[in-house]
Amino acid sequence: MGVSAKAFQNWRNRVAPNESTADLCRRTGIKRSTLAQQLVRGNVAVATVVRVARAYGQDPVAVLSEFDGFRGLAEGRRAPSAAELISQVPYQCILEYVLARAGADQEHPAVPKVAGYADSIAVRPWFDAVDPGDLRPKLSAATGIAPQNISAQLTAGRLATRLAVEAARQAGVSLTSGLVVTGVLQPEEGGWPPTGREEALAALTDAELVSLARDRLDALAKVLRKREQDDKYDHALLENLG
């Protein structure tokens, strides 16, 4: 779900009253046919709103807060927790930091190096990091979406925009965090500090860091085992089919 086309047009006319649809599309890089389809359907994608806001120098979070379904978004923007930040660190970076810290000394402590946000943003790890244990049923009750459908989205590595916002609300974290990990907002737009992940990693004790590496490797092993099982099943099925 996006925002009401009528509400979008009203906002757009306030922001750029003298620009045509063609002008807007040229400025934002949005295809005219794409925007036209959204307006005809009466539902404008959140990504479209964000791109227009950026193109006209508006804060995307403040703009989204003007639309139904996103009220209070700007007021709910705050810094992410350490767990959220660490959830967005690839396991390769964690392993490299474990080795770097093991070879460092007190005078020359190891400094964690983390891949750019664009290369490491992931939905499922964030959801698991903020989940106190009952987030799926609470999210389902708040949105009317079945828990299995929520799980299916997470397994596919995605989460619908309003689900992402509501998940953050139910988890008691920054309301913009879900939009950051789903790629709707840039990290800085959502209040995520540029070096936040590195600082969160550096704050871990040796035991916490090793435990984190172990947990990530365990999760990776499960994925790889399932992939191997699926490959074996597919191979056997092909053989039986001749």
Side-chain angles (χ1 to χ4, degrees):
M1 288 292 293
V3 305
S4 160
K6 183 178 180 180
F8 171 80
Q9 290 284 54
N10 289 338
W11 167 75
R12 171 199 156 187
N13 289 334
R14 294 199 309 272
V15 174
N18 299 319
E19 294 206 357
S20 66
T21 299
D23 294 330
L24 181 146
C25 290
R26 278 194 296 271
R27 185 187 286 263
T28 61
I30 300 172
K31 292 183 178 179
R32 291 183 65 178
S33 58
T34 298
L35 180 58
Q37 289 172 0
Q38 293 179 18
L39 293 175
V40 168
R41 288 198 302 263
N43 184 57
V44 175
V46 172
T48 297
V49 178
V50 170
R51 288 178 68 176
V52 175
R54 289 172 182 158
Y56 288 94
Q58 303 286 310
D59 175 9
V61 175
V63 169
L64 284 174
S65 296
E66 298 184 27
F67 296 96
D68 290 338
F70 297 96
R71 305 289 183 184
L73 187 65
E75 292 79 5
R77 174 172 49 187
R78 57 182 186 273
S81 65
E84 290 179 275
L85 291 165
I86 290 174
S87 77
Q88 302 304 300
V89 179
Y91 76 90
Q92 299 97 323
C93 297
I94 294 172
L95 295 178
E96 289 173 358
Y97 186 43
V98 170
L99 295 176
R101 184 181 277 188
D105 55 48
Q106 291 185 348
E107 293 185 3
H108 304 88
V111 177
K113 298 178 181 178
V114 181
Y117 276 115
D119 300 319
S120 59
I121 288 294
V123 177
R124 180 66 178 269
W126 169 78
F127 191 95
D128 292 341
V130 302
D131 185 2
D134 59 351
L135 185 53
R136 280 178 179 77
K138 289 174 66 176
L139 185 56
S140 175
T143 62
I145 298 176
Q148 58 266 31
N149 291 339
I150 296 172
S151 295
Q153 289 190 41
L154 291 170
T155 299
R158 59 184 179 83
L159 200 60
T161 304
R162 297 206 183 197
L163 271 179
V165 174
E166 189 58 36
R169 192 188 310 277
Q170 294 296 328
V173 298
S174 171
L175 295 188
T176 54
S177 286
L179 298 183
V180 170
V181 300
T182 53
V184 175
L185 294 175
Q186 295 296 323
E188 61 273 15
E189 293 170 341
W192 287 47
T195 60
R197 295 172 303 164
E198 289 84 353
E199 293 170 2
L201 272 182
L204 295 177
T205 65
D206 289 346
E208 290 171 335
L209 183 60
V210 171
S211 294
L212 175 63
R214 178 204 60 201
D215 293 344
R216 290 296 182 87
L217 288 176
D218 285 345
L220 177 62
K222 291 179 182 179
V223 172
L224 294 177
R225 281 195 295 268
K226 184 178 186 306
R227 188 178 300 167
E228 290 173 355
Q229 291 171 356
D230 290 343
D231 289 343
K232 289 179 181 179
Y233 175 81
D234 292 341
H235 182 70
L237 181 61
L238 290 174
E239 285 188 340
N240 290 333
L241 291 174

